[in-house]
Amino acid sequence: MVNTASPPMVSASSRGFPYRSHPTGWFHVGWSAEFVAGEVVPLRYFSRDLVAFRGESGTLSIMDAHCPHLGAHMGYGGSVCGDELVCPFHGWQWNAEGHNTRIPYSSRPNRGQRVTVWPVQEVNGLVMLWYDATGAEPTWELPLIPGYDTDTFYPVHPHCTGEWLNRPVAPQFLGENLADSAHQKYVHEATDVPEIVEFSGEGPLWHSRQRMVWGRGKGDTWLTPSGGKVGHLDIQGWGIGIALFRFEGIDDTVQIQSITPVDDTVSDLRMTNFVPRHEPGAVVPTERAAKRIEHLRRQVGRDLVVWEHMTYIARPPLPPEEAKPYLAYRRWADQFYPEAAAPAVSSATGRS
Ligand code: FES
Ligand SMILES: [Fe+2]
């Protein structure tokens, strides 16, 4: 009889990861289309209960969920009045800055009471939340993908997305894929181990390029209809939780893989694909575009099996070929953990 072990539901630090705190930075918590004006949505990230609501003017706010009055979770039964959140328990009202503005059965609000509000940015149809355990404001901006909302790409939500919720994966398990070219062969079916021709970590941005031969040895395929093709996998990391892939030599598809910790045991993973439209105005990807998304979804699934069951090796025995980019990534990543001794902004550049 086969004993199939379920993935571990223990903290990342019990799996060997050196840091206990959640990393600082921008993290993806859903797509703009999921947050409808006038609706309240409960969320849980960074070991905190949160509530999101889009006001009638269209502004999206995310704040701590529990009402300071007597502790109700405002994501369950709360409502929106104008651009403010109304608690379901006794009707106290909170504005987008988190201040109490109204107590319906009292002559004045309690201006000293405040709910913690988390910075939010909507970028390319993705909702990004800034997390810093100390409550500090964002120190960097997220770049935009040019042309994402024009006829160039299909609308991302819901047809070009995927999500895997509450998975036992620490954010950096995904992040380290950005410096790992050997797994392309063993996990993602590349014919060879691609060469990392460039890598750098500058401030909050990681960048690396892998030289790929797409479809080598496979003849003509739907992905490479003219046979094997030389190109590059261009990779950006925006902090620990957001990774952006471009498949130069195949097509103009841009993929964002994102991971956001729910608590110290599980995270939500999402993929957002910006796939070139076959025809103007089309909303649902068909033919090659549909295959492309399915293919990308399968590849994330392959990574996930490894990430869910792995343990983290803090001092890995890396051969020289992979040591430089891999260790550069780890040094760069340290800056996002408050307890790491690294300076606030680290820098690592090189060629393998
Ligand atoms: S608990 Fe929110 S108004 Fe009383
Ligand atoms: Fe991967």
Side-chain angles (χ1 to χ4, degrees), residues 31 33-34 153-163 271-275 277 281-286 289-297:
W31 292 279
E34 296 180 298
F153 299 110
Y154 288 100
V156 289
H157 191 270
H159 301 292
C160 301
T161 61
E163 60 184 345
M271 74 165 188
T272 306
N273 300 302
F274 300 85
V275 182
R277 266 177 166 145
V283 170
V284 182
T286 53
K291 272 188 177 173
R292 189 85 172 89
I293 293 165
E294 205 36 55
H295 179 251
L296 291 164
R297 190 189 313 277

Side-chain angles (χ1 to χ4, degrees), residues 248-304:
E248 295 171 5
I250 293 188
D251 60 22
D252 292 331
T253 295
V254 181
Q255 184 190 43
I256 292 180
Q257 289 183 21
S258 48
I259 181 163
T260 307
V262 173
D263 55 28
D264 61 357
T265 63
V266 294
S267 301
D268 287 353
L269 280 86
R270 295 183 174 88
M271 74 165 188
T272 306
N273 300 302
F274 300 85
V275 182
R277 266 177 166 145
H278 286 317
E279 50 187 301
V283 170
V284 182
T286 53
E287 303 166 37
R288 185 183 185 282
K291 272 188 177 173
R292 189 85 172 89
I293 293 165
E294 205 36 55
H295 179 251
L296 291 164
R297 190 189 313 277
R298 250 195 335 272
Q299 298 304 330
V300 175
R302 287 167 167 269
D303 278 319
L304 197 52

Side-chain angles (χ1 to χ4, degrees), residues 139-161:
T139 53
W140 48 280
E141 294 291 315
L142 287 161
L144 288 165
I145 298 170
Y148 88 98
D149 57 353
T150 66
D151 251 0
T152 311
F153 299 110
Y154 288 100
V156 289
H157 191 270
H159 301 292
C160 301
T161 61

Side-chain angles (χ1 to χ4, degrees), residues 66-74 87-94 105:
H66 291 114
C67 178
H69 175 220
L70 283 164
H73 190 309
M74 296 188 279
C87 178
F89 206 0
H90 312 94
W92 288 33
Q93 203 160 311
W94 307 89
Y105 47 87

